[in-house]
Amino acid sequence: DTNVPVLLVAYEALYNIGNDEAAADLLVEHGVVKQTFQTIQNFDYEKALVASVMKFLTVLTYNESAVVEVGNMTFLPIIFQAMKTRSGNADFALDAVHVISNLVPEESNRACVNNNRLLPEILKLLDTFADHEDIAKFVAITCLRLSTDDEISKQVAQEGMR
């Protein structure tokens, strides 16, 4: 696709811009969150582009407005779908679980994890990338944050014991 090189450059620039809180707020206001998830869906076959998008989300999801927007639009399953199609890619998994750990403090995102039964997918990362300390760290952070919900806390305890 002729748009891919332009989008790659755009998401690399957005990664740098997204580190600034005021700029991140403006990005959210201008619909970049929705556009970002549409890019993941529309260009899932473009490995480098989706990796760049996920890298951008690692910084954007430190912004509270972006986290709320993801929850309101129930975009979290899109991240899990992208992880499934890149199941052996440790760098992608690290960025994805980093994004997920930033999203789950928001109640609507925790509910999305619960409603879509995504906890096993998070825990599976520990098996798939058993020797990757950073992935394990973000899985642990994610589980800790998910455990603020009593129902999910029980699931974390049950699933984690397997």
Side-chain angles (χ1 to χ4, degrees):
D1 195 325
T2 57
N3 294 326
V4 172
V6 173
L7 288 170
L8 263 169
V9 171
Y11 279 103
E12 288 173 12
L14 286 170
Y15 174 80
N16 293 320
I17 294 167
N19 281 306
D20 179 84
E21 188 71 22
D25 284 335
L26 286 172
L27 291 174
V28 173
E29 285 177 30
H30 290 290
V32 171
V33 172
K34 182 177 181 180
Q35 187 61 47
T36 298
F37 282 91
Q38 286 176 338
T39 300
I40 293 172
Q41 289 181 305
N42 294 339
F43 293 93
D44 187 56
Y45 56 91
E46 291 289 345
K47 292 178 184 178
L49 176 59
V50 175
S52 184
V53 170
M54 198 60 64
K55 181 69 73 181
F56 164 59
L57 285 172
T58 64
V59 296
L60 187 64
T61 54
Y62 281 101
N63 178 279
E64 187 175 338
S65 298
V67 170
V68 170
E69 180 81 6
V70 171
N72 289 342
M73 304 296 273
T74 61
F75 284 139
L76 199 51
I78 295 169
I79 295 172
F80 283 89
Q81 183 57 43
M83 283 175 33
K84 282 181 185 176
T85 61
R86 292 157 183 81
S87 61
N89 185 329
D91 291 334
F92 189 84
L94 176 60
D95 286 342
V97 74
H98 184 168
V99 171
I100 293 164
S101 75
N102 288 347
L103 292 172
V104 296
E106 170 63 32
E107 184 177 340
S108 58
N109 288 317
R110 281 194 311 276
C112 187
V113 168
N114 191 35
N115 295 340
N116 289 284
R117 304 190 193 301
L118 298 173
L119 180 61
E121 297 298 317
I122 296 167
L123 294 172
K124 189 175 9 173
L125 293 171
L126 292 174
D127 291 330
T128 304
F129 302 103
D131 296 332
H132 202 295
E133 291 178 20
D134 288 333
I135 290 175
K137 176 182 83 172
F138 280 111
V139 168
I141 290 168
T142 301
C143 288
L144 182 65
R145 290 175 175 171
L146 285 169
S147 294
T148 61
D149 178 289
D150 288 341
E151 187 175 331
I152 298 174
S153 180
K154 291 175 190 174
Q155 290 176 26
V156 169
Q158 290 171 348
E159 294 287 333
M161 295 297 189
R162 291 184 182 184

